Amino acid sequence: MVFAHMCMCSTSYTLLSWLPTYFKESFPHAKGWVYNVIPWLAAIPSALGGGYVSDFLINRGYGVVTVRKIMQFFAMGVSSIFILLLSGAVTFPSAVIFVSAAICLYTFTSGGVSVNVQDLTPSCAGALYGFMNMLGAFMGLVLVSLSGYLIEVTLSWATVFSLISLVNATGLGIFLIFGDAQRVDLEDYRRVMVI
């Protein structure tokens, strides 16, 4: 869960940092508000819909771990397909649609890894989530810097989009294999002191 969240955050920060540059370089005559606003506006109903789908599946009898993995598959797996589609020759409307689809699917992580911490350790979820976000921010710093280096060296956005997809695939694979939703903090480890 921690590793998948770290991968998800780092790729999100990379997209957030480099997508405006990608659009400005690839489509210099496009209006900035279109590619800077539309994907993020589309993410709002997607995030709400993802939460609804997650709850709906759990209420229908699907296991919590199954639902978390399904939601994370869409957030990291299917969204990576749309990111990879940006590697080829695309038109401006296609690029906006692909980015919007990827960002919308990214929000499904709120029904996956992001809430999985509550499933595993509700007694210390805040501290663990803070730790996960710290690792995500650090990896975001590394991946954003590495992406900038790759753009400068290769002069190709395809390498950056491939790297983002690789990081997503790795995080998703680890979560699909090792992810769980079984509570692990049931034991009371507080020591009783008798005076």
Side-chain angles (χ1 to χ4, degrees):
M1 171 191 68
V2 174
F3 186 76
H5 184 77
M6 184 175 66
C7 292
M8 187 75 194
C9 286
S10 64
T11 57
S12 295
Y13 294 144
T14 303
L15 287 175
L16 189 62
S17 298
W18 288 110
L19 277 177
T21 306
Y22 163 75
F23 277 106
K24 190 71 175 162
E25 288 181 0
S26 301
F27 310 102
H29 302 296
K31 296 195 184 301
W33 69 268
V34 173
Y35 57 81
N36 283 321
V37 173
I38 290 178
W40 305 103
L41 273 180
I44 295 169
S46 175
L48 295 172
Y52 175 79
V53 168
S54 179
D55 289 343
F56 177 79
L57 291 174
I58 291 171
N59 289 333
R60 286 286 183 176
Y62 288 89
V64 173
V65 70
T66 303
V67 172
R68 301 293 182 242
K69 289 180 179 184
I70 289 170
M71 299 304 285
Q72 205 60 36
F73 173 77
F74 282 98
M76 296 178 88
V78 179
S79 69
S80 292
I81 294 169
F82 287 104
I83 295 298
L84 281 176
L85 290 173
L86 293 170
S87 299
V90 295
T91 63
F92 177 69
S94 296
V96 171
I97 289 169
F98 294 157
V99 168
S100 297
I103 300 295
C104 286
L105 288 167
Y106 260 55
T107 65
F108 280 26
T109 195
S110 61
V113 164
S114 294
V115 74
N116 191 226
V117 68
Q118 288 287 348
D119 301 327
L120 294 173
T121 60
S123 65
C124 61
L128 184 56
Y129 197 74
F131 178 73
M132 288 167 48
N133 278 335
M134 179 205 58
L135 289 176
F138 176 73
M139 282 308 298
L141 174 73
V142 171
L143 197 60
V144 168
S145 300
L146 179 60
S147 296
Y149 174 77
L150 288 174
I151 292 167
E152 193 173 307
V153 170
T154 65
L155 301 174
S156 169
W157 286 98
T159 55
V160 173
F161 296 139
S162 297
L163 176 64
I164 289 170
S165 297
L166 177 65
V167 170
N168 273 342
T170 305
L172 177 62
I174 295 295
F175 185 68
L176 291 178
I177 294 168
F178 299 109
D180 199 0
Q182 186 70 28
R183 189 170 174 177
V184 295
D185 66 345
L186 292 175
E187 295 293 324
D188 187 6
Y189 291 106
R190 292 176 292 170
R191 298 180 67 143
V192 176
M193 297 180 67
V194 179
I195 300 179

